[in-house]
Structure formats: structure tokens, C-alpha cells
């Protein structure tokens, strides 16, 4: 977590993200540890600490993303940009599997992001099954972002 980002900016990002990971949609109230500030374009790739380049991510998604900005779509083999949770609608690029455990990419961007961030890793699937049993998952969304 970068100390260069002010607490005010962090609070605005957290509010805009509705305390939810922009990638796997894990809600803060259900995860151990604080959701992290993610640089959509990593600073190692020229991204800035500007609020327009920041969003909220869980530790797993942020770790798997690392410095990636692009990935090959497994269906078309084209190199595509990863999902931008600040400017793109989650439901345009992803959906939940019928049983609610898996995130399924609907678009080239979605499919590439599922692979790059390992959104269906073993740990995530195990936790989602428990959240479903508790009636906490999949999350109910109200999308306000532009696409």
C-alpha cells in the first residue's frame, strides 16, 4: 500500500468502489484484511497515483494482477487490455456461473482478466461456496460506471 496516496483519496476510492473488490466482487465485510488500493495501470508500467488510476482490490486479485495490464484472450488469442473497474461495467465483461462459484468472462477483456488475475483460484472457489451457503453470494449489484 503506497503512502503517497492521501487518506482522503483512499476514502473516496473506497466509497466509489462501495467497499468491494473491482475484480472478484468480494465485499469488505466478508474478507479477512483490508481491501487494497489498486493501481489500474501499475506504477511500474507508468501509472500514477492519480485517483482516476486507483480502485479497490482484494489482496488476492491485487497480488495476481501485479504489473500486468494486458493478457491474451484464450478464445481469440488476441492480446487485450485487462478489465478497468473504474471505467467498465463488471456485468458487461463477466457473469457468475450457474452455481455462483465461478466468474465467467463474457468478452475478450473479461476472459483475459479471469486468467490473468486467477479469479477462479482454489481459495476463491472454496470461500464463494461458503458465502453461497450463508446467503451472501453472489453479490447483488447496482452498476453506475460507464462502459
Amino acid at each position: 500500500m503506497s503512502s503517497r496516496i492521501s487518506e482522503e483519496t483512499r476514502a473516496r476510492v473506497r466509497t466509489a468502489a462501495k467497499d468491494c473488490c473491482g475484480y472478484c466482487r468480494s465485499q469488505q465485510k466478508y474478507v479477512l484484511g483490508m481491501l487494497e488500493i489498486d493501481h489500474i495501470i501499475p506504477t511500474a508500467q507508468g501509472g500514477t497515483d492519480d485517483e482516476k488510476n486507483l480502485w479497490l482490490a482484494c489482496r488476492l486479485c491485487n497480488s495476481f494482477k501485479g504489473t500486468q495490464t494486458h493478457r491474451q484472450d484464450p478464445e481469440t488469442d488476441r492480446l487485450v487490455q485487462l478489465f478497468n473497474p473504474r471505467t467498465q461495467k463488471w456485468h458487461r465483461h463477466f457473469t457468475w456461473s450457474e452455481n455462483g462459484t465461478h466468474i465467467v468472462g463474457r468478452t475478450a477483456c473479461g476472459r483475459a482478466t479471469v486468467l490473468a488475475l486467477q479469479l477462479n483460484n482454489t481459495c476463491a472457489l472454496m470461500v464463494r461456496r461458503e458465502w453461497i451457503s450463508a446467503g451472501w453470494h453472489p453479490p447483488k449489484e447496482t452498476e453506475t460506471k460507464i462502459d
Side-chain angles (χ1 to χ4, degrees):
M1 192 158 64
S2 173
S3 60
R4 301 173 304 220
I5 302 167
S6 72
E7 288 304 317
E8 295 80 16
T9 298
R10 290 174 190 281
R12 283 193 304 273
V13 169
R14 183 170 286 282
T15 298
K18 300 177 183 165
D19 276 332
C20 184
C21 176
Y23 303 102
C24 72
R25 310 306 293 149
S26 293
Q27 297 175 48
Q28 179 65 74
K29 63 185 176 182
Y30 301 139
V31 298
L32 231 69
M34 293 299 289
L35 295 177
E36 304 173 343
I37 297 294
D38 168 53
H39 287 82
I40 296 163
I41 303 199
T43 54
Q45 300 292 339
T48 69
D49 290 335
D50 186 80
E51 193 170 333
K52 291 182 279 189
N53 188 46
L54 305 175
W55 204 247
L56 212 53
C58 71
R59 169 129 325 160
L60 272 179
C61 286
N62 207 10
S63 295
F64 284 129
K65 183 173 176 252
T67 60
Q68 298 181 86
T69 59
H70 292 75
R71 180 76 178 246
Q72 284 185 291
D73 170 21
E75 194 172 294
T76 66
D77 210 32
R78 285 186 312 126
L79 188 65
V80 297
Q81 257 188 327
L82 297 181
F83 177 71
N84 181 334
R86 180 168 279 285
T87 62
Q88 295 175 300
K89 292 181 181 178
W90 194 91
H91 286 291
R92 162 109 170 70
H93 297 278
F94 308 97
T95 191
W96 293 104
S97 62
E98 194 170 313
N99 70 0
T101 58
H102 288 71
I103 296 174
V104 179
R106 294 178 152 190
T107 63
C109 170
R111 292 185 297 268
T113 302
V114 167
L115 287 179
L117 276 64
Q118 301 181 39
L119 296 179
N120 296 315
N121 66 74
T122 303
C123 182
L125 297 178
M126 181 176 58
V127 170
R128 288 181 199 141
R129 281 187 200 100
E130 296 303 318
W131 288 348
I132 289 166
S133 295
W136 301 341
H137 187 80
K140 307 297 181 257
E141 308 275 345
T142 56
E143 290 290 336
T144 57
K145 297 180 211 67
I146 59 170
D147 192 8

